[in-house]
Amino acid sequence: MFIGHFTEEPWQKEDWPVEWGSGVMAVSNAEYDPVRASNLYHRYIDEKVYAEEMGFDGIMVNEHHSAPFCMNGVANVKASILARVTNKAKILLLGNILPIHDDPLWLAESLAMIDVISRGRLIPGVVRGGGSESLTHNIPPHYNRERFEEAHDFLIKTWTTPGPFRWEGKHFHYRYVNPWAVPYQKPHPPIWVPGTSSRETVEWCARHRYPYIMLASQIDLTQQMYQVYYDTAREVGYEAGPQHLGFMFFFHVEETEERAIEVGRTLTQGVRSPYDPGAQRPKPWIAGPPGIATKSARALRRKMTAADSSGRTRAGARATFEDQVATHGMVVGTPDSVIPKVRYILEQLRPGTIIFRTGDGAMDHESQMRTLKLMGEEVMPKLREIADELGLPGPYDIDPMTNEPVTAMAS
Amino acid sequence: MTNSPAAFTEETVDIAGISVQLRSGGSGEPLLVLHGELGVPDWLEAHELLARHYSVCVPSLPGFGTSSFPDWLMSVRDLSAWVNWFVRECGLATPLNVVGFSMGGWIAAELATTNSALFSKMVLVGAAGLKPREGEIWDYFLNSAKDAFQQSFHDHESAQYLKYYGRDWTPDEAEQVETNREAAIRYLWRPYMHSVTLPDLLPAIATPTLLVWGRQDGIVPISSCELYQQGIANAQVAVMEDCGHMPEMEKPEEFANTVLGFLKG
Amino acid sequence: MFIGHFTEEPWQVPDWPDEWGTGIHKVSNAEYDPYRAANLYNRYLDEKIYAEEVGFDGLMVNEHHSAPFCMNGVANVQASILARITTKVKILLLGNILPIHDDPLWLAEQLAMIDVISRGRLIPGIVRGSGGESISHNIPPHYNRERFEEAHDFLIKTWTTPGPFRWEGKHFHYRYVNPWAVPYHKPHPPIWVPGTSSRETVEWCARHRYPYVMLSTQLELTREMFKIYYETAEEEGYEAGPQHMGYMFFVHVEETKARAMEVGRTLTQGVRSPFDPGVQRPIPWIMSPPGLNSRKAVALRRQMTAPDATGKTRAGALASFEDQVATRGMIVGTPEQCVEDIRYIMDYLRPGIIIFRTGDGAMDHESQMRTLKLMGEEVLPAMRDIAKELGLPGPYEVDPATNEPVTALAS
């Protein structure tokens, strides 16, 4: 079992107008107060350092652009810092938005340096990104998947092939690839991929045997996506297992149930991700510019997220805090009460990787530290026992590339 | 204006490597119509008016309408090379007259810079292709498809706006709009709806040119019209009052008369 | 007086073949041993932390590509780390190679985050870069200066204009510039520019009132460059002063002259920069591909660096360690001797910025730490007295943009 920690690092401000929502491509950066920002950045780094101390296996960092709900415009800045200020935890980038880089050699160089400085603790995950990432960097959305795949192939080649070599692709061109920094981990750092409900992404992931981390907070949708992974794996000729599958969910734990509910509720307040249940979605033409999804993917997603007979969408667009707690989208409670709930998730999904999303939304630093402490002292040790009992190896127990036990780690 | 049904044919033909949705009608010398980035929804009233004097040929450009969209078309220059190929394979007699709308105007201008023997006369309507001196070309991709049509028309009560755009779309129509946006985005993304080199090539154009612009063009600012006029020797200008980016749909009669006056003159 | 510290962070390996020289565009990255690299990166970071502790005002970091003599392929990775692990010093990036970025919005975002995390301590210097950088990133050398200027203008606009705005330039295009991170430092972080002997760069710099830091080790050539700055400033209608002028040179301090000479010599050994005296220059068509520099600039540089009557070039291409020490290109000796030589330089050039280049070449960690300690205890305090006596304000005493005394710092 691999247990990760994630905070989206939202902007926090008491008087953020409700109609500004997530702020994605909607709020001027004139609202960005750098003094507040520096305090927030350091607070989030402090919390990550503490999460490592409490025993998390990985610290996840992500990235969004022109997006107040995620202060990491450049996740690699944060990953660089973590490479030096932590020393055991994996640095889980989920991930770099490959298609929006015009020159992926910068990524190959940056990520290699970060992996080396961290002495092999980097997991450089890759994503395609939502429409707003393409719009802000003015990158052609209609080549999103092509650029994703070509940049991925380029990174892997750069990390595994002694230079110099030439690369004449469709979107990227180099005549002398030979950066003086290659990763610490051999043959290359493990690639993980997060996702919500793109079938094409799950299939791509399964074909590469990369762990797939489902970010949705819905058990049944996640089961369907995992099934796509299992099916694709069989087509490709291997058996997928827990080491290939991950699940992220909101979490808050306190000494009393009452306090947990009261404070946990702040996870659904403040400047929130437009991808979260109950949050306002970005405008459709911002979230999905022409060509970013294929016609069949568009149709499939429309079907998967359609409202059921009760009028609730499966993506839970209108889910309240109570709804989410009731459906295991959020796990909130005392150390004793959360264990069976997480156990339920582990039994239902059988993931080898779980990522706790904590301290997000409008939650304050003290509450985040309290929950991390309880997780380290009481929750995680028990979860590891349950994972052993259920037979849920993580990708550092069973190598997803070979399905062989991991004996000696590269780091 | 007559109410007689439009005499035109719509067919799908394999030309110049593309399966082309082709609308045509009328007789006489050929007149090539190059539509804009929103595609062309129908055989329009303006086409019909022009078809009384010319053999009007309106292909849906690659990726638009039901025309196919191979990967190799990546830019407006590719598109203009394709139009040249299309004209030849279609057997259209050259030089021929051309009317280009917005993106189609940019394509025509690109062609005219490279081949002065292709067009006898050229009409550019609200043409994209140049970075305006004042204002900006409206951003289709930070706005919805509905917004785009609203922005294109000055008069939201005009008949053709209400007929095609100013109402709820059927799922098929919505899908067609999205298909056209997917084509437009590939040609127009970066630099957005303009070329950085076209301004210096415009003096190469020897084709007699008419620039038609709606005074209230909300897509390509009228300052672009001045740039075209300065770049192309002896270019004439016809500014249509109380009119937006699609004069052919907003004021078909006035538009057709303006074009015919120039072509016949 | 602003006193900075610099190490180029060379690759160090005892058995590096002489004929590999600087390794730039020549040695396969198959030679890059990530374990050695991890130790070196972390060593260089330790040294920088110590340099802050002993009293340096700024830590300079630079960047080269496919270049073993400089392990920072991406200077912003190290700048990110320094933003968190240091607390007082300026982080002096000299600098980001603007023309080799296809998408300078990444730079605007990264540098803003670094400035904010450091609480306004970033100096995001900029350079044009030599041919090797353009070739590695496959960026058109012939548009180098245009891209440099457009990227600079874009950065300044992004940092000073509330978003969103559009940018339709010749080389860069954006439809929605509004990153959710703007710098801490207002109106924007100070830009410094390093140079060797490009007249065009000095003039550009003077027109923008940006401090110009001469990296050459030749006093006379440096004075000529400073003179161009003064003249251009006069044309622009302001009086340049020490706050606009910087000078970098090698320094090594030990308790005895003999030891200083013995250990200082290692600065000229190992994997060295091709820009250093006595080092073989890279292949001319790699250094300077067609169009990178104007014909006029090439002719001027040829003239300025032509051999003198004795056959020695002014750029000191053949300079031995002894030559460099004799001509004060390198300052090596006891604290007292070094202070005396440095006083001569300060008096001769009147710079407001001095950057010590130490611990470079084949020098080991212990020697670097020793020299840093002596600098902090004896050399730096003496220099600050001399600077007062000679009237040499640095850019944090007199603002180069206004020539007014700096009263309150943004940070």
Side-chain angles (χ1 to χ4, degrees):
Chain A
M1 171 66 55
F2 180 98
I3 305 177
H5 171 264
F6 177 57
T7 305
E8 191 131 26
E9 308 193 21
W11 187 250
Q12 289 201 337
K13 191 155 191 286
E14 277 151 32
D15 56 350
W16 185 263
V18 177
E19 64 273 22
W20 286 1
S22 68
V24 183
M25 291 185 75
V27 176
S28 168
N29 59 11
E31 297 297 326
Y32 182 91
D33 165 9
V35 176
R36 178 179 291 269
S38 62
N39 292 333
L40 283 167
Y41 281 129
H42 284 284
R43 164 191 154 182
Y44 292 132
I45 296 169
D46 292 343
E47 291 169 1
K48 287 179 200 320
V49 170
Y50 188 62
E52 175 184 53
E53 197 182 309
M54 286 297 104
F56 282 92
D57 299 314
I59 308 294
M60 171 176 156
V61 181
N62 76 333
E63 163 175 321
H64 286 287
H65 297 268
S66 293
F69 72 91
C70 171
M71 288 179 60
N72 277 324
V74 189
N76 294 346
V77 166
K78 196 59 64 71
S80 300
I81 293 171
L82 293 175
R84 170 77 188 196
V85 304
T86 63
N87 49 54
K88 288 194 314 277
K90 302 288 183 254
I91 301 162
L92 175 54
L93 276 170
L94 285 182
N96 272 286
I97 306 162
L98 296 192
I100 69 168
H101 288 264
D102 264 331
D103 178 356
L105 181 58
W106 282 111
L107 279 180
E109 292 180 290
S110 304
L111 296 172
M113 278 182 69
I114 295 168
D115 191 46
V116 171
I117 293 171
S118 74
R119 299 184 196 273
R121 292 183 291 119
L122 183 67
I123 303 172
V126 294
V127 306
R128 293 179 56 210
S132 56
E133 331 300 350
S134 286
L135 290 165
T136 51
H137 275 271
N138 203 36
I139 298 295
H142 41 291
Y143 289 129
N144 185 284
R145 184 164 289 282
E146 284 185 10
R147 290 170 64 107
F148 174 79
E149 295 190 5
E150 189 179 330
H152 164 270
D153 295 350
F154 173 78
L155 283 182
I156 300 298
K157 175 150 184 182
T158 303
W159 288 341
T160 54
T161 311
F165 63 86
R166 225 158 124 163
W167 183 276
E168 300 288 357
K170 178 173 177 187
H171 297 287
F172 309 114
H173 307 270
Y174 300 98
R175 57 227 313 164
Y176 186 89
V177 183
N178 186 26
W180 189 251
V182 291
Y184 195 93
Q185 298 176 82
K186 302 296 173 197
H188 63 77
I191 309 284
W192 294 14
V193 180
T196 50
S197 57
S198 162
R199 188 189 176 98
E200 288 172 7
T201 298
V202 182
E203 288 172 352
W204 182 87
C205 212
R207 282 199 296 277
H208 287 80
R209 307 186 71 143
Y210 293 158
Y212 176 79
I213 313 299
M214 184 74 174
L215 305 180
S217 47
Q218 296 204 295
I219 303 275
D220 57 346
L221 188 61
T222 303
Q223 275 167 335
Q224 286 181 27
M225 285 295 147
Y226 284 7
Q227 194 56 49
V228 174
Y229 197 113
Y230 280 110
D231 294 346
T232 310
R234 262 178 223 124
E235 279 167 33
V236 178
Y238 72 96
E239 194 69 29
Q243 64 276 13
H244 295 100
L245 301 168
F247 184 63
M248 181 170 85
F249 51 96
F250 281 104
F251 191 83
H252 190 70
V253 62
E254 297 270 8
E255 292 289 359
T256 69
E257 203 67 34
E258 207 175 26
R259 183 110 195 253
I261 296 283
E262 181 200 330
V263 180
R265 188 181 301 278
T266 60
L267 288 168
T268 63
Q269 295 164 349
V271 185
R272 300 185 58 207
S273 165
Y275 305 101
D276 286 348
Q280 200 187 340
R281 294 282 186 276
K283 295 176 183 123
W285 53 93
I286 298 291
I292 203 165
T294 60
K295 282 199 169 76
S296 62
R298 270 210 309 273
L300 187 73
R301 187 174 306 211
R302 212 178 291 133
K303 192 173 109 192
M304 297 193 76
T305 56
D308 65 15
S309 53
S310 73
R312 285 232 176 97
T313 65
R314 296 187 55 184
R318 284 183 295 278
T320 63
F321 173 70
E322 281 73 14
D323 281 345
Q324 291 180 63
V325 170
T327 58
H328 294 88
M330 287 193 159
V331 174
V332 175
T334 62
D336 287 341
S337 76
V338 294
I339 299 285
K341 293 179 193 167
V342 178
R343 184 186 181 103
Y344 174 81
I345 291 172
L346 296 181
E347 286 171 349
Q348 290 295 308
L349 296 176
R350 300 194 50 78
T353 300
I354 55 174
I355 298 173
F356 289 105
R357 188 163 164 201
T358 76
D360 224 315
M363 191 169 290
D364 61 26
H365 175 63
E366 291 66 31
S367 305
Q368 161 83 320
M369 295 299 271
R370 244 177 8 249
T371 207
L372 290 175
K373 184 161 190 285
L374 287 171
M375 290 172 92
E377 287 171 355
E378 307 196 32
V379 180
M380 286 198 283
K382 293 205 179 92
L383 288 183
R384 293 193 196 279
E385 284 169 22
I386 294 170
D388 284 345
E389 178 200 328
L390 297 176
L392 299 176
Y396 287 88
D397 304 310
I398 301 282
D399 184 345
M401 302 306 284
T402 59
N403 281 2
E404 298 293 326
V406 176
T407 47
M409 294 181 58
S411 51
Chain B
M1 169 181 165
T2 160
N3 286 324
S4 64
F8 78 102
T9 58
E10 178 173 338
E11 57 194 325
T12 301
V13 289
D14 289 327
I15 294 183
I18 302 289
S19 169
V20 184
Q21 177 187 34
L22 182 63
R23 297 184 178 100
S24 51
S27 58
E29 286 175 40
L31 172 60
L32 177 65
V33 172
L34 300 174
H35 64 70
E37 58 281 355
L38 296 169
V40 59
D42 205 349
W43 175 259
L44 300 173
E45 199 180 322
H47 301 149
E48 180 63 25
L49 293 168
L50 295 170
R52 291 177 189 168
H53 305 267
Y54 292 97
S55 173
V56 175
C57 173
V58 193
S60 284
L61 296 167
F64 291 90
T66 57
S67 292
S68 61
F69 195 22
D71 287 344
W72 57 264
L73 284 143
M74 296 175 76
S75 68
V76 164
R77 288 237 167 114
D78 294 340
L79 207 42
S80 68
W82 179 81
V83 169
N84 190 50
W85 184 7
F86 170 85
V87 166
R88 185 168 54 78
E89 283 209 357
C90 243
L92 299 175
T94 55
L96 80 169
N97 293 315
V98 63
V99 183
F101 298 94
S102 198
M103 177 189 77
W106 177 7
I107 296 166
E110 291 278 359
L111 271 167
T113 64
T114 56
N115 181 1
S116 58
L118 186 63
F119 299 137
S120 40
K121 288 189 176 180
M122 173 165 80
V123 182
L124 307 181
V125 188
L130 302 180
K131 182 182 154 184
R133 185 178 291 148
E134 288 159 36
E136 288 169 331
I137 301 178
W138 191 74
D139 197 326
Y140 286 104
F141 303 114
L142 294 185
N143 292 283
S144 74
K146 280 271 178 200
D147 293 339
F149 293 105
Q150 204 167 25
Q151 185 73 16
S152 296
F153 282 78
H154 174 62
D155 176 7
H156 294 146
E157 300 301 320
S158 66
Q160 298 207 17
Y161 177 72
L162 293 171
K163 179 177 176 188
Y164 293 108
Y165 306 129
R167 57 172 173 79
D168 287 340
W169 298 333
T170 66
D172 283 351
E173 284 173 331
E175 193 62 24
Q176 181 63 65
V177 165
E178 192 60 21
T179 298
N180 291 348
R181 277 167 69 85
E182 286 179 0
I185 203 169
R186 201 201 282 174
Y187 297 124
L188 303 176
W189 181 259
R190 187 170 69 179
Y192 180 65
M193 282 185 80
H194 73 276
S195 155
V196 294
T197 53
L198 183 58
D200 294 311
L201 284 166
L202 287 180
I205 294 177
T207 309
T209 301
L210 171 67
L211 303 165
V212 180
W213 235 273
R215 174 80 68 197
Q216 286 79 23
D217 192 324
I219 303 291
V220 182
I222 200 157
S223 67
S224 288
C225 178
E226 292 156 25
L227 293 176
Y228 267 112
Q229 193 185 6
Q230 285 160 18
I232 302 174
N234 303 317
Q236 300 175 35
V237 175
V239 174
M240 291 175 57
E241 301 298 333
D242 300 318
C243 186
H245 184 60
M246 295 185 160
E248 78 282 14
M249 291 180 81
E250 203 162 343
K251 299 194 163 187
E253 227 165 331
E254 182 186 338
F255 171 77
N257 290 337
T258 303
V259 171
L260 290 169
F262 171 72
L263 296 181
K264 299 280 183 196
Chain C
M1 170 63 52
F2 179 99
I3 308 175
H5 170 265
F6 177 57
T7 305
E8 190 129 27
E9 308 192 21
W11 187 249
Q12 289 199 340
V13 67
D15 55 351
W16 186 262
D18 272 349
E19 62 273 23
W20 285 1
T22 68
I24 185 165
H25 277 256
K26 201 171 179 182
V27 177
S28 168
N29 59 10
E31 297 298 325
Y32 182 91
D33 166 7
Y35 298 87
R36 178 176 291 273
N39 292 334
L40 283 168
Y41 282 128
N42 285 292
R43 164 190 154 183
Y44 292 132
L45 286 168
D46 293 342
E47 292 169 0
K48 285 182 195 335
I49 292 173
Y50 188 60
E52 174 182 49
E53 196 182 316
V54 304
F56 280 94
D57 299 314
L59 302 175
M60 170 175 157
V61 180
N62 76 333
E63 164 175 322
H64 286 286
H65 296 268
S66 296
F69 71 91
C70 172
M71 287 179 61
N72 274 324
V74 188
N76 294 346
V77 166
Q78 217 160 64
S80 302
I81 295 171
L82 292 174
R84 168 77 185 193
I85 67 173
T86 63
T87 56
K88 288 192 316 276
V89 284
K90 303 288 182 258
I91 300 161
L92 174 55
L93 277 169
L94 286 183
N96 273 286
I97 306 163
L98 294 192
I100 67 168
H101 287 265
D102 266 328
D103 179 354
L105 180 59
W106 282 111
L107 278 181
E109 291 179 289
Q110 280 174 5
L111 296 172
M113 277 182 72
I114 295 169
D115 191 48
V116 170
I117 293 172
S118 74
R119 300 186 198 274
R121 292 184 289 118
L122 182 68
I123 303 171
I126 54 179
V127 306
R128 291 181 56 211
S130 63
E133 330 300 352
S134 286
I135 289 170
S136 288
H137 275 270
N138 203 35
I139 299 294
H142 41 290
Y143 290 132
N144 184 285
R145 184 165 287 281
E146 283 186 14
R147 290 169 65 106
F148 175 79
E149 295 190 5
E150 189 178 331
H152 163 268
D153 295 350
F154 173 78
L155 283 183
I156 300 297
K157 175 149 185 183
T158 303
W159 286 341
T160 54
T161 311
F165 63 86
R166 227 156 116 167
W167 182 275
E168 299 286 358
K170 177 170 178 188
H171 298 287
F172 308 114
H173 306 270
Y174 299 98
R175 55 225 314 161
Y176 186 89
V177 183
N178 186 26
W180 190 253
V182 291
Y184 194 94
H185 204 114
K186 301 295 175 197
H188 62 77
I191 308 284
W192 296 11
V193 179
T196 50
S197 57
S198 161
R199 186 188 178 100
E200 287 171 9
T201 298
V202 183
E203 288 172 351
W204 184 87
C205 215
R207 282 198 297 278
H208 287 79
R209 305 186 70 146
Y210 292 156
Y212 175 79
V213 182
M214 184 73 176
L215 305 180
S216 163
T217 50
Q218 294 207 297
L219 294 178
E220 207 182 325
L221 186 61
T222 302
R223 198 146 82 163
E224 280 176 45
M225 286 293 149
F226 285 3
K227 189 156 169 279
I228 295 170
Y229 197 114
Y230 278 105
E231 287 166 2
T232 311
E234 210 175 309
E235 281 169 30
E236 291 288 314
Y238 74 95
E239 181 94 21
Q243 64 277 12
H244 297 99
M245 310 291 161
Y247 183 61
M248 181 172 86
F249 49 95
F250 282 103
V251 187
H252 190 69
V253 192
E254 296 270 9
E255 291 290 1
T256 69
K257 176 79 177 178
R259 184 94 195 267
M261 288 298 280
E262 182 200 331
V263 180
R265 186 180 301 276
T266 59
L267 289 168
T268 63
Q269 294 164 349
V271 185
R272 300 184 57 204
S273 164
F275 305 101
D276 287 347
V279 179
Q280 197 187 352
R281 295 284 187 274
I283 306 156
W285 53 91
I286 298 288
M287 254 328 250
S288 189
L292 183 76
N293 297 298
S294 70
R295 292 288 186 91
K296 197 172 140 215
V298 172
L300 189 75
R301 188 179 304 211
R302 203 178 296 131
Q303 190 198 341
M304 295 191 78
T305 56
D308 64 15
T310 68
K312 278 209 180 119
T313 66
R314 293 182 57 185
L318 306 171
S320 66
F321 173 66
E322 283 75 12
D323 281 347
Q324 290 181 65
V325 171
T327 58
R328 297 194 179 86
M330 286 190 158
I331 305 299
V332 177
T334 63
E336 296 74 27
Q337 290 164 336
C338 286
V339 169
E340 198 185 316
D341 278 347
I342 292 168
R343 171 190 269 277
Y344 176 85
I345 290 174
M346 290 166 75
D347 193 39
Y348 185 76
L349 294 176
R350 300 191 52 76
I353 300 161
I354 282 181
I355 297 172
F356 285 174
R357 187 161 164 205
T358 78
D360 224 316
M363 192 169 288
D364 61 25
H365 175 61
E366 291 67 31
S367 304
Q368 161 83 326
M369 295 299 270
R370 238 176 17 246
T371 205
L372 289 174
K373 186 163 189 287
L374 287 171
M375 286 173 171
E377 287 169 357
E378 307 196 33
V379 181
L380 267 46
M383 283 170 68
R384 295 195 195 280
D385 290 341
I386 297 168
K388 278 207 192 84
E389 178 199 327
L390 296 177
L392 299 177
Y396 286 89
E397 293 151 274
V398 172
D399 184 343
T402 59
N403 281 1
E404 298 294 324
V406 175
T407 47
L409 284 166
S411 54

